[in-house]
Amino acid sequence: MTYPSIAHLHSALRAGETTCIQLVEEALQRAAENSDLNIFIELFPESARAKAQEVDAKLQSGQAGPLAGVVMALKDNLCYTGHGVSASSNMLRGFEAQFSATVVEKLLAADAIILGRTGCDEFAMGSSNETSAYGPVKNPVEPALTPGGSSGGSAAAVAADICHASLGSDTGGSIRQPAAFTGIYGVKPTYGRVSRHGVIAYASSFDQVGPFAKCLDDLALITEVISGGDDYDTTCSDREVPQMAPAPADRPMSFGYYREVIENEALDPAIRAHFDEAVAKLQAAGHTVKALDFPYLDALVAIYYILTTAEASSNLARYDGILIGHRSEHFEDLESLYKLSRSEGFGKEVQRRILLGTFVLSAGYFDAFYGKAQKARRVVRDATLSALSEVDALIGPTTPHTAFPLGQEYTDPTVLYLEDIFTVQAPIAGIPAVSIPAGPHPNGLPFGMQIMTGPFDEPKLFQAARVLDQL
Ligand code: GLN
C-alpha cells in the first residue's frame, strides 16, 4: 500500500493499519517488481528492516520523529556509513562510506527509513542518467524515455511508488529536471541551507541536496528536516530554519516571468500554452503577474559549464588510485599509475569535464574564461535578486520539453548541455527553486513548472508553489 502524503501515512500508522516493517517489506517487493527500470544500484534490506523495527517501537511509546516510517532512497552520491556509495562511477565501485552525510544523519534522526541507493549520472554530471557506469535508469512513466538526470534514480524511485520520498542533489538542475520528467515534486534549496558534508562533490559552490516527494507538504517537511547549520560544512548557514510547510496564501502574491524564457524557440509550444493559461488563471485569482526582461539567458549555460567544470577538475583530483579510487593493474611507474587509474576509473563525460575545467583554469586562459565567468555569475546574481525585489517569485517552465528517448541526445554533449537552460539560473544565483508537476502534455507526458524566490526564502517558495499547484 502506498500513501499520497506523509500525513496519510502517519494516520495509517496511528490507526494500526500498517507498521514500519510492513512498509519496508512492501517497498522491497515493489523494488523487485520494478527491477527492469534499473533504479537501485543497491538495496539496504538489513538496515532498513532494523530501522523499521526501531521506529515501530518508538511509535508504540509515542517517541517517533517527524519522518517516522517514511521509506526513502538516497542518490548514489550521499554517504551512509557502512553502506556502499559510488557516484555511479567505476572509480568508486566497491567503495564503502566511512561516515554518514549530515543529511543522512538528519533523516535517520527524524526516523526515516533508508531503502537503498539509486543510480545517477556519473559524479552527478549529466541530464539523462546515461553517464552512469551502471547503465541508465528508465523513466517509470515510459521506460523508453530518460527519467532525467543526474538524480534520475531518486526521482524514479518515487514516481514508480517504490519509496515515499527520496534525496537527490542539484548542481544545475539535477533534482528539478528529473522531477519534471517523472511528474513529481523536487526542490533545490538555497545554497548554504543544507549541509554538503558527506556528499560526493561535483561543483562545491553549486551543489545542494534536496528532496523528491509526491506532494508539496512532504517536500517542505523533508527540506525542513535536512536544513540547518553544520560544523562540518563552513558554507552551510547557521541561520534559524523556519517552518516551511506552505500556509494557504492569505494575500495575493506577485509573480514574474522572463520574456526570454517564455518566447524562447527551444520551448515546446504546448508547454508555453500551458504556461500562458497558468498566468491567466493566476491573474483571475487576484495575483499579479509581470513580464520581466532577462538579457543573460543565453550566457547562463556557458557560465555554468565553465565554473562547474573548473570546480570539478579540482574536486576530482583526489581520485588518484593511490589514496582513493580505482587503481589500475597495468601501471609501470607513478605517472602511468595516475594516468591509467584515472582513464579506467572515469567515464568519458567526467573526463571531458575534468579536461575542460583544467583548461579554463590554466595559466593564459584563466582570466578569459574562469575569471570572466565569475564576474558574469555576479552580474546574473545581481540581476536575479533585483527581479526578486520586484516580485515574490519568478515562474517558468522547468525544462524546454518533456522527457526525451534514452540514447537520443547523448551523442552530442553540447545539445545535452542546453537541456539545462532554465534550471542553471538558480544555482548560479544561489537561490532556491522548486519544480512542481504540470501537464499532461498532449503527448501524454508530465512536465514541470519552476518557481524561484530570494535566498533563504523557502517558506515563500513553498507558498508560491502552493498557489500554482492549486490552479
Ligand atoms: N545537467 C547538469 C550537468 O550536467 C546538472 C547536473 C546536476 O545538477 N548535478 O551538469
Side-chain angles (χ1 to χ4, degrees):
M1 170 93 184
T2 60
Y3 299 88
S5 71
I6 293 175
H8 285 88
L9 167 69
H10 281 170
S11 50
L13 281 167
R14 267 196 308 273
E17 288 161 20
T18 188
T19 61
C20 295
I21 195 75
Q22 193 177 329
L23 291 168
V24 167
E25 296 306 337
E26 289 168 355
L28 288 168
Q29 195 185 329
R30 287 193 301 272
E33 287 162 7
N34 286 287
S35 59
D36 52 330
L37 295 175
N38 196 31
I39 295 173
F40 286 90
I41 288 176
E42 192 185 357
L43 290 160
F44 304 143
E46 270 174 44
S47 54
R49 288 187 180 115
K51 182 71 186 175
Q53 259 156 6
E54 180 197 321
V55 183
D56 275 331
K58 282 189 179 176
L59 283 164
Q60 291 293 323
S61 60
Q63 288 175 337
L67 298 183
V70 179
V71 177
M72 293 186 66
L74 300 177
K75 182 177 181 178
D76 185 31
N77 64 353
L78 301 171
C79 293
Y80 179 12
T81 186
H83 296 75
V85 65
S86 76
S88 297
S89 176
N90 284 326
M91 185 52 98
L92 286 172
R93 206 180 268 269
F95 183 79
E96 194 175 279
Q98 309 295 299
F99 58 88
S100 287
T102 299
V103 289
V104 172
E105 302 266 12
K106 284 180 185 264
L107 287 187
L108 293 170
D111 287 329
I113 299 166
I114 295 170
L115 192 73
R117 59 181 166 119
T118 59
C120 58
D121 281 290
E122 187 179 4
F123 283 96
M125 298 175 186
S127 302
S128 63
N129 226 270
E130 291 167 292
T131 70
S132 168
Y134 302 90
V137 172
K138 297 175 183 160
N139 192 327
V141 179
E142 168 51 61
L145 304 177
T146 174
S150 63
S151 317
S154 286
V158 177
D161 255 333
I162 296 169
C163 290
H164 193 87
S166 60
L167 289 188
S169 69
D170 189 311
T171 306
S174 279
I175 294 176
R176 293 159 286 150
Q177 185 247 30
F181 281 4
T182 58
I184 60 171
Y185 296 78
V187 64
K188 181 203 89 74
T190 306
Y191 184 79
R193 179 59 99 186
V194 176
S195 168
R196 292 179 296 108
H197 174 64
V199 183
I200 296 179
Y202 162 17
S204 305
S205 78
F206 291 74
D207 298 343
Q208 200 62 188
V209 175
F212 290 98
K214 289 187 268 192
C215 69
L216 262 181
D217 288 300
D218 292 4
L219 199 73
L221 175 61
I222 299 166
T223 308
E224 198 178 309
V225 165
I226 61 172
S227 292
D230 183 8
D231 289 343
Y232 291 114
D233 175 3
T234 53
T235 63
C236 188
S237 168
D238 282 334
R239 69 175 77 204
E240 207 182 316
V241 177
Q243 223 195 320
M244 293 186 187
D250 49 2
R251 64 182 172 92
M253 294 187 86
S254 58
F255 295 91
Y257 67 86
Y258 290 132
R259 285 194 187 91
E260 290 78 0
V261 168
I262 298 310
E263 288 161 14
N264 200 284
E265 34 174 66
L267 182 59
D268 180 317
I271 297 183
R272 162 142 198 202
H274 175 94
F275 180 81
D276 290 341
E277 219 175 285
V279 167
K281 285 187 195 165
L282 282 172
Q283 285 166 333
H287 305 283
T288 56
V289 187
K290 245 202 235 184
L292 303 168
D293 289 310
F294 185 66
Y296 310 112
L297 187 72
D298 288 341
L300 293 181
V301 170
I303 296 170
Y304 172 80
Y305 277 95
I306 290 172
L307 295 178
T308 55
T309 55
E311 293 184 23
S313 74
S314 158
N315 275 328
L316 273 59
R318 75 190 65 171
Y319 303 100
D320 57 4
I322 296 175
L323 273 175
I324 183 167
H326 165 81
R327 181 178 303 175
S328 173
E329 285 169 4
H330 313 293
F331 68 92
E332 279 160 8
D333 52 18
L334 187 61
E335 192 175 325
S336 67
L337 169 60
Y338 286 140
K339 281 188 179 164
L340 290 171
S341 299
R342 287 169 68 82
S343 304
E344 293 167 11
F346 289 133
K348 285 270 171 294
E349 181 60 25
V350 175
Q351 293 186 24
R352 173 164 30 233
R353 295 195 190 197
I354 291 172
L355 290 172
L356 253 171
T358 308
F359 173 77
V360 300
L361 286 173
S362 58
Y365 295 102
F366 184 94
D367 289 341
F369 293 103
Y370 184 77
K372 194 158 182 186
Q374 285 287 30
K375 289 179 190 151
R377 183 182 199 180
R378 170 48 68 102
V379 171
V380 167
R381 180 178 161 88
D382 290 348
T384 307
L385 296 187
S386 137
L388 284 165
S389 67
E390 284 181 49
V391 293
D392 288 318
L394 290 166
I395 53 173
T398 309
T399 59
H401 46 73
T402 53
F404 49 88
L406 285 163
Q408 175 179 281
E409 305 201 32
Y410 187 46
T411 41
D412 182 350
T414 58
V415 174
L416 206 55
Y417 294 173
L418 282 170
E419 285 295 310
D420 306 321
I421 182 150
F422 301 150
T423 49
V424 291
Q425 184 183 359
I428 288 174
I431 60 172
V434 62
S435 179
I436 65 171
H441 188 278
N443 67 12
L445 297 173
F447 55 94
M449 283 292 138
Q450 176 172 247
I451 301 113
M452 302 187 268
T453 57
F456 296 100
D457 214 350
E458 280 84 2
K460 201 199 267 177
L461 181 77
F462 291 124
Q463 194 173 16
R466 160 110 337 139
V467 169
L468 253 99
D469 205 30
Q470 281 173 344
L471 290 180

